[in-house]
Amino acid sequence: MRVAMIGTGYVGLVSGTCFSEFGHTVVCVDKNPDRIGALQRGEIPIFEPGLDDLVMRNVKAGRLSFTQDIKAAVQGAEAVFIAVGTPSRRGDGEADLSYVYAAAKEIAEAMSHFTLVVTKSTVPVGTGREVERIIRQTRPDADFEVASNPEFLREGAAIEDFMRPDRVVCGVESDRAREILRNLYRPLYLNETPILFTALETAELIKYAANAFLAMKITFINEIADLCEKVNVNVQDVSRGIGLDGRIGSKFLHAGPGYGGSCFPKDTQALVATGRKFSSPLQIIETVVAINDTRKRRMAEKIIAASGGSVRGKTVAVLGLTFKPGTDDMRDSPSLDIIPALQKAGAVVRAYDPEGMHEAKKLLNEVVWCQDGYEAAEGADVLAILTEWNQFRAMDLARLKELLKQPVMVDLRNIYKPAEMEQAGFTYYSVGRPPVMPAGVSA
Ligand SMILES: NC(=O)c1ccc[n+]([C@@H]2O[C@H](COP(=O)([O-])OP(=O)(O)OC[C@H]3O[C@@H](n4cnc5c(N)ncnc54)[C@H](O)[C@@H]3O)[C@@H](O)[C@H]2O)c1
C-alpha cells in the first residue's frame, strides 16, 4: 500500500519506517526543513535505538522517502496518517489541536482520489469528527473517510513496540476503512496480534484511558514508596509482592521521581479537561496530576535534605536528564523541575546525560555540562541519579567516592543496592527504601 505520514517526530518517523519495513511504500512529510533535510542526508534527527538501520534499509529499498511536499505525498497515498504533536494548551491543559487541524486542512487541499485519513496523534474524543468536518468544509467534493489509530509505542523501545505490539486499536466507520487498516497491519494480523476495531470515539478514548491508568499506577507506587520510607519497608519488596498478583501485574510499579515525558503529563491533563468538558469529572486522574506535580518538586527537597539541609554554595552532580533512558526526549522530564529548584536553593549543578544534553542545553541554564558521570562527580557534595541509563548502573564506586567531596548519593531510580552502597562507604538515599549511613552517622 502507499502511505503518507504527516509529522516525522518520534511517532511519525518510527511508524512510517515500520510500515515501510512491512513492505508498504511510505512518504514521511514534515514542515520542519531541518528535520527533512537531515533525513534526506541519511541523518536521524532523534535518538531511538535501532531506528537508523531500519531507516537506511528501507530508503535503500526504495520504500521510504522524506519530503516537505505534503501535496505530492497525499496525492500518491491511499492512507494518510496524521502524526503531528498534540501538546498541552497553556492555561487549561487541554490538548492543543491546532497542528492536527492544520494538517487536516492541508491534506484536504491535496486530495485527488479516495483517501483514508487516519489520526495517529493522541487526540481527545470528538477530534476525528472535527477532522472530518474540516476536510468536508475545505473540499466539499473530496472522497475520503476518517479513522483513528492511536499509537502505544514507548520511546526507547519504539521499534519493538511497533513491530510486536500488545494490540492495535483502529477506530473505523466502514468496511472499506477496516480493510485498508487490516492490510496496513497485515504482518501483525498474521502474527495474531489482537487488532481491535472500534468506533472512532472509542479508539480515541482508549488511548487516554491507557495512559491515565499507567500514570496512576506509577503514582500509586510512588505514594506507597513515601509510606515505605516512614515505616522502614523496602518498596521493591512491596512491588514484587503485589506485582505477582496477575490482577495487578509487575510493570509500572517502579517508584521514582514522578512520571514525565512527552505523553503522560499532557495526556492526563487533557483527559481531566475532557472529563470537565462533559461534566464527568475524573477525580482520580486530577489527583494523580496534582501528586505528580508536587512530587517532582519534592525530589529537589530530598536532594537538599541529603546535603545536610542546604545546598547553598554546594555542588550537586546530576546523572541523567531525559525522562527515561533510551531517548533524547526532554519534554516534561523531572530534571526540568529538579535542577532549577536546586539552583534556586543556591546549588551549582554539574550534569551529564548520554543522549539528552543537546536538548537539555536549550532548556536549562547555568549548568556545568560534563562529558561523563565521573566528570560530573568531580568536587560535588552530593550525586543524584535522575535517569536509569545503563552506564550509570555499574559505576566504579571507589572512583566516584574519590571524586566526590562527600560520598553522598541520592538514587531516584533505585539502581544500586543499599548493601552495596553501605559497603562502598556511601551515605545513600533512594526511593521507598531505608537510607544507608556509614557507621557512626545517624539518618
Ligand atoms: N512520543 C511518544 O512516545 C508518543 C507515543 C504515543 C503517541 N504519541 C502521540 O503522537 C503524536 C506525535 O508525537 P511525537 O512525540 O511524535 O511529536 P513530535 O513533536 O516529536 O513530532 C511532531 C512532528 O510533526 C511535525 N508537524 C507539525 N505540524 C505539521 C504539519 N502540518 N505538516 C507536517 N509536519 C507537521 C513537527 O514539525 C514535528 O516534527 C502526539 O499526539 C503524541 O501524543 C507520542
Side-chain angles (χ1 to χ4, degrees):
M1 296 193 75
R2 288 165 299 133
V3 175
M5 185 65 67
I6 316 300
T8 310
Y10 289 86
V11 164
L13 183 55
V14 171
S15 310
T17 305
C18 290
F19 275 137
S20 69
E21 179 73 8
F22 286 171
H24 306 301
T25 303
V26 181
V27 181
C28 289
V29 184
D30 207 289
K31 268 197 157 7
N32 181 338
D34 294 343
R35 188 155 277 207
I36 292 300
L39 286 161
Q40 286 172 339
R41 287 192 302 274
E43 297 160 18
I44 308 297
I46 56 170
F47 175 73
E48 181 58 49
L51 187 57
D52 42 4
D53 285 349
L54 210 60
V55 169
M56 297 314 156
R57 184 157 77 229
N58 285 288
V59 166
K60 220 169 164 187
R63 288 189 299 259
L64 180 63
S65 58
F66 305 99
T67 181
Q68 276 182 266
D69 184 355
I70 191 169
K71 196 161 187 181
V74 169
Q75 284 176 353
E78 292 148 280
V80 178
F81 282 81
I82 300 178
V84 301
T86 48
S88 255
R89 203 162 67 185
R90 261 177 201 279
D92 59 13
E94 277 191 38
D96 176 356
L97 296 171
S98 55
Y99 302 100
V100 172
Y101 294 154
K105 197 158 183 290
E106 289 164 38
I107 293 166
E109 282 158 359
M111 275 179 190
S112 57
H113 54 270
F114 177 80
T115 312
L116 182 66
V117 180
V118 191
T119 314
K120 205 168 227 337
S121 299
T122 302
V123 293
V125 163
T127 305
R129 300 269 167 229
E130 184 59 15
V131 165
E132 196 174 342
R133 196 194 61 74
I134 290 169
I135 298 175
R136 178 82 51 224
Q137 189 184 46
T138 312
R139 280 285 301 280
D141 60 316
D143 186 13
F144 74 102
E145 211 177 297
V146 170
S148 164
N149 173 221
E151 183 50 57
F152 296 93
L153 63 77
R154 294 162 301 167
E155 288 172 17
I159 293 167
E160 175 71 13
D161 283 352
F162 195 94
M163 296 290 195
R164 269 174 281 278
D166 291 338
R167 78 322 202 169
V168 174
V169 173
C170 300
V172 291
E173 303 261 86
S174 72
D175 289 344
R176 189 176 191 182
R178 181 193 294 247
E179 269 321 294
I180 292 174
L181 282 162
R182 208 197 290 277
N183 276 334
L184 278 169
Y185 283 106
R186 195 171 163 74
L188 302 185
Y189 189 68
L190 297 175
N191 260 349
E192 298 188 3
T193 301
I195 302 192
L196 272 68
F197 287 99
T198 69
L200 217 54
E201 288 80 0
T202 312
E204 290 170 340
L205 189 54
I206 286 172
K207 173 64 193 176
Y208 280 100
N211 272 3
F213 190 89
L214 293 172
M216 181 177 75
K217 207 170 169 190
I218 293 172
T219 305
F220 173 82
I221 202 65
N222 283 341
E223 283 209 307
I224 294 290
D226 290 348
L227 178 60
C228 285
E229 287 180 19
K230 296 278 160 59
V231 294
N232 224 22
V233 164
N234 183 335
V235 71
Q236 288 177 314
D237 296 337
V238 178
S239 292
R240 187 163 158 74
I242 62 175
L244 286 168
D245 184 327
R247 294 167 301 178
I248 296 174
S250 59
K251 295 193 176 147
F252 281 75
L253 284 181
H254 302 289
Y259 61 78
S262 64
C263 293
F264 289 176
K266 77 172 177 65
D267 291 349
T268 44
Q269 282 187 40
L271 184 61
V272 164
T274 302
R276 290 204 183 122
K277 185 168 158 194
F278 288 94
S279 301
S280 182
L282 290 150
Q283 292 179 40
I284 195 164
I285 305 305
E286 287 178 28
T287 307
V288 163
V289 170
I291 295 169
N292 197 66
D293 282 350
T294 318
R295 184 168 190 85
K296 293 192 205 170
R297 283 194 295 278
R298 281 197 26 231
M299 291 300 117
E301 288 161 21
K302 191 177 171 94
I303 295 167
I304 294 168
S307 316
S310 169
V311 285
R312 189 152 301 282
K314 292 186 180 166
T315 300
V316 182
V318 169
L319 271 55
L321 299 166
T322 52
F323 78 101
K324 67 170 171 183
T327 183
D328 57 351
D329 199 342
M330 283 293 300
R331 287 177 285 186
D332 271 314
S333 177
S335 67
L336 297 176
D337 287 288
I338 296 170
I339 290 176
L342 292 171
Q343 291 172 322
K344 202 166 162 220
V348 169
V349 173
R350 297 170 64 81
Y352 168 70
D353 187 280
E355 296 293 341
M357 297 223 289
H358 181 70
E359 275 307 301
K361 284 178 186 174
K362 300 179 198 159
L363 302 165
L364 293 162
N365 296 317
E366 301 193 13
V367 170
V368 182
W369 302 105
C370 300
Q371 297 295 320
D372 62 24
Y374 296 106
E375 189 186 329
E378 267 174 43
D381 297 87
V382 57
L383 179 141
I385 297 176
L386 267 49
T387 318
E388 66 277 33
W389 286 95
N390 277 340
Q391 62 177 264
F392 302 150
R393 287 180 184 272
M395 293 189 75
D396 178 344
L397 295 175
R399 184 172 167 204
L400 268 188
K401 202 174 163 201
E402 287 269 294
L403 291 167
L404 287 164
K405 215 184 274 172
Q406 320 277 349
V408 181
M409 185 191 283
V410 183
D411 174 4
L412 297 181
R413 300 294 183 170
N414 291 350
I415 58 178
Y416 283 93
K417 291 197 168 71
E420 166 189 29
M421 298 308 287
E422 187 169 20
Q423 210 170 24
F426 272 78
T427 300
Y428 174 71
Y429 300 90
S430 52
V431 179
R433 303 187 301 181
V436 162
M437 302 288 152
V441 182
S442 58

